[in-house]
Amino acid sequence: MRLAEERAALCATGRRMVETGLVLGTAGNLSIRSGDLVAVSPGGVALDELTPADCPVLDLSGETVEPSRAPSSETPMHLAIYRSTPAQAVVHTHSSYAVVVSATHTELPPVHYNALLLGGVVRVAPYATYGTPELAAHVIAALEGRQAALMQNHGAVAIGPGLAEALAGARLLEWLCQVYVQAKTIGEPRVLSEDELVAVIGRALQGHETGTRWGLTSSPPPESRG
């Protein structure tokens, strides 16, 4: 079976997406790239019920290399991301707070400095029907210089060098959306200024944060930071 390890990783990550509430039912999808091949979750299958054999393998043009179930309807978006960014994994969710923010805002402002882990302000890609080239183009534009984006009236997408990092980005984005939505219920959230964000980056570069650079870890969780 081609990309056996990658397909097994899709199944493990899909289960984690369900466990953490990022998807419900058959919503959401994910993929991983290996060279010029991509393993993607199939359509119409709950992510916590996937088996490696369920996950088709495609090339970057969308041609099936190893047939299985029909690929997710969002596969064109995944392939467009791989053709346009250095991403090696993509996680797409329909998480509750991400959908709320995407349906009401054109961006998610940085109300917490951990927004820097995703590149800063999170853009909302304009609405387009799922699975279309228009949606893929909107998402590519929203991801420029970012590790995640929201999709208007739809959900969220996070990318990374691997599935662990992409999942961490999706979890972090949902947490940031939740903080913002809950803050709006009691007042107008204070947004961090550019100078304040630059100061956080400077502190990280000086070695005060874990690691030597500002980047995602496989398990944020945001509340573990100071």
Side-chain angles (χ1 to χ4, degrees), residues 3-225:
L3 302 192
E5 290 185 8
E6 288 82 358
R7 293 158 92 173
L10 287 180
C11 299
T13 305
R15 289 192 294 272
R16 188 64 178 145
M17 290 168 68
V18 174
E19 291 168 359
T20 54
L22 293 177
V23 296
L24 291 172
T26 60
N29 38 76
L30 67 165
S31 65
I32 183 170
R33 177 177 181 176
S34 178
D36 292 331
L37 299 180
V38 174
V40 63
S41 57
V45 181
L47 295 185
D48 57 347
E49 298 176 359
L50 288 180
T51 68
D54 289 329
C55 303
V57 176
L58 315 172
D59 64 21
L60 292 175
S61 70
E63 292 294 319
T64 300
V65 173
E66 184 158 333
S68 180
R69 291 178 177 267
S72 165
S73 59
E74 294 289 12
T75 297
M77 178 186 71
H78 288 250
L79 297 178
I81 290 172
Y82 291 128
R83 292 192 296 264
S84 304
T85 76
Q88 297 295 299
V90 178
V91 166
H92 167 48
T93 75
H94 290 181
S95 50
S96 298
Y97 286 98
V99 174
V100 169
V101 174
S102 77
T104 56
H105 289 63
T106 58
E107 64 180 31
L108 174 66
V111 293
H112 191 281
Y113 58 79
N114 272 334
L116 288 168
L117 296 171
L118 302 178
V121 173
V122 178
R123 306 182 187 103
V124 178
Y127 182 81
T129 304
Y130 71 89
T132 61
E134 290 78 12
L135 178 61
H138 291 330
V139 169
I140 293 301
L143 281 173
E144 183 177 0
R146 300 292 188 270
Q147 296 298 305
L150 293 166
M151 303 158 68
Q152 192 173 58
N153 297 92
H154 187 156
V157 61
I159 62 176
L163 283 168
E165 293 85 356
L167 177 61
R171 292 182 60 201
L172 174 57
L173 177 55
E174 177 67 1
W175 182 82
L176 290 168
C177 288
Q178 181 178 0
V179 167
Y180 183 72
V181 170
Q182 291 181 334
K184 291 282 281 187
T185 66
I186 61 173
E188 187 60 32
R190 178 182 179 275
V191 175
L192 294 173
S193 69
E194 183 175 350
D195 287 345
E196 289 169 328
L197 293 174
V198 168
V200 171
I201 295 172
R203 183 171 177 81
L205 291 175
Q206 291 169 15
H208 294 285
E209 290 286 334
T210 301
T212 58
R213 67 183 179 87
W214 193 258
L216 279 173
T217 62
S218 60
S219 54
E223 61 268 24
S224 69
R225 291 185 173 271

